[in-house]
Each structure stands twice: as C-alpha cells, then as structure tokens.
Amino acid sequence: MIKKEIVTQLVEQWLEGQEYFLVDVSVSADNRIVVEIDHKEGVWIEDCVALSRFIEDHLDREAEDFELEVGSAGIGQPFKVIKQYLNHVGCEVEVLTAQGTKMTGVLKEADEEHFVVTTNQKVKVEGAKRPKLVEVDVPLRYDEVKYTKYAIRFK
C-alpha cells in the first residue's frame, strides 16, 4: 500500500512557492489516492492536472498500481483546515455545533484557536412588544463544531 505520508510530501513539494494549500490526502487500502487542494480564488483544472502528473511521475506504477484523483475542496463540503476559515472571512457560512445547533451567518474572523460567526437572532429588547432581529457575534472553538461550510444561496 502506498503511504499517505509519501503522497503528502509530494503534494507539499509541488505546492512550494504557490498560493495553493493542501486540504486533504487520503489513501485507501486498494491504493485509491484522493488529493484535495484549495486556493483563495478557486482551483484551476490545469493546476490539478499538473499536480496529478507530478505525483504520477514520482510514484512507480510498476511497483504498486494506484488510482489517483486530484481536485479542489468541494464548495459545499465542510472545511477541513484552518486556512479555509481564513480564506472565507467575510463570507456566509453554515455551522453545526457539537451540541447539534445549526446556524448561518457571516464568518467575521478566524485565527488558529477559534472563529467568530455573526448571526441574526431575535432578542427581546426592553420596552418593545416583540423581539427584534439583531446581529450577534458567536465565538466558537474549532473543537466545538461538527462542521463549518460555505453557505450556498440560489436566487
């Protein structure tokens, strides 16, 4: 079986000096290799092809056959690395907390330990008859969420 560490090293070698970053590498028991990369402005198919060729050139099919898939992190897929949070600051995201609460809001900030989502919540304002919709910043640690993903809106 091809080792994940070897594929990861090859991908990181190819990524050096580029604005792409590694999201995930998986290698199944039957040598199906899946590499996900991302970029702040999207991933070009030509770059996926170039990375795929680079990996193929450095692995020996004669020694061990494999299937290789190189692509971008899917737009509707959960974030897997902190860099995805950093790249989506200012964008609308959907978050599912570990307690099962789902929220949608704007990713206000993100750093190595936590992120903040600005949501609209109904709050009872003193003196008002009805609750009003107000913006609330919700700080979350990465270990407090099941997933965060880019919110897709069809209008």
Side-chain angles (χ1 to χ4, degrees), residues 105-117:
V106 175
L107 183 58
K108 183 177 181 178
E109 62 183 74
D111 62 28
E112 295 295 320
E113 277 117 46
H114 78 290
F115 62 101
V116 177
V117 177

Side-chain angles (χ1 to χ4, degrees), residues 20-32:
Y20 284 101
F21 59 92
L22 178 62
V23 174
D24 193 27
V25 171
S26 64
V27 180
S28 67
D30 61 347
N31 281 339
R32 182 173 187 276

Side-chain angles (χ1 to χ4, degrees), residues 31-120:
N31 281 339
R32 182 173 187 276
I33 303 167
V34 179
V35 176
E36 292 180 25
I37 58 173
D38 207 348
H39 186 283
K40 187 169 187 155
E41 296 172 10
V43 176
W44 295 94
I45 188 74
E46 295 84 2
D47 293 325
C48 291
V49 170
L51 175 55
S52 180
R53 288 186 179 143
F54 181 82
I55 294 168
E56 285 182 0
D57 289 346
H58 289 83
L59 295 177
D60 185 5
R61 278 195 193 273
E62 299 298 323
E64 208 162 7
D65 196 23
F66 59 90
E67 177 184 346
L68 176 61
E69 179 183 325
V70 175
S72 65
I75 194 164
Q77 298 298 312
F79 297 167
K80 295 179 181 176
V81 295
I82 293 173
K83 184 109 177 177
Q84 289 176 295
Y85 285 85
L86 298 172
N87 283 345
H88 287 88
V89 168
C91 297
E92 190 172 11
V93 294
E94 178 182 299
V95 178
L96 179 63
T97 67
Q99 292 76 33
T101 304
K102 189 182 260 188
M103 68 180 84
T104 303
V106 175
L107 183 58
K108 183 177 181 178
E109 62 183 74
D111 62 28
E112 295 295 320
E113 277 117 46
H114 78 290
F115 62 101
V116 177
V117 177
T118 302
T119 64
N120 289 321

Side-chain angles (χ1 to χ4, degrees), residues 125-142:
V125 178
E126 192 174 324
K129 291 184 177 183
R130 295 194 169 118
K132 292 192 176 197
L133 207 56
V134 296
E135 287 187 347
V136 177
D137 287 346
V138 181
L140 295 160
R141 292 188 325 269
Y142 298 106

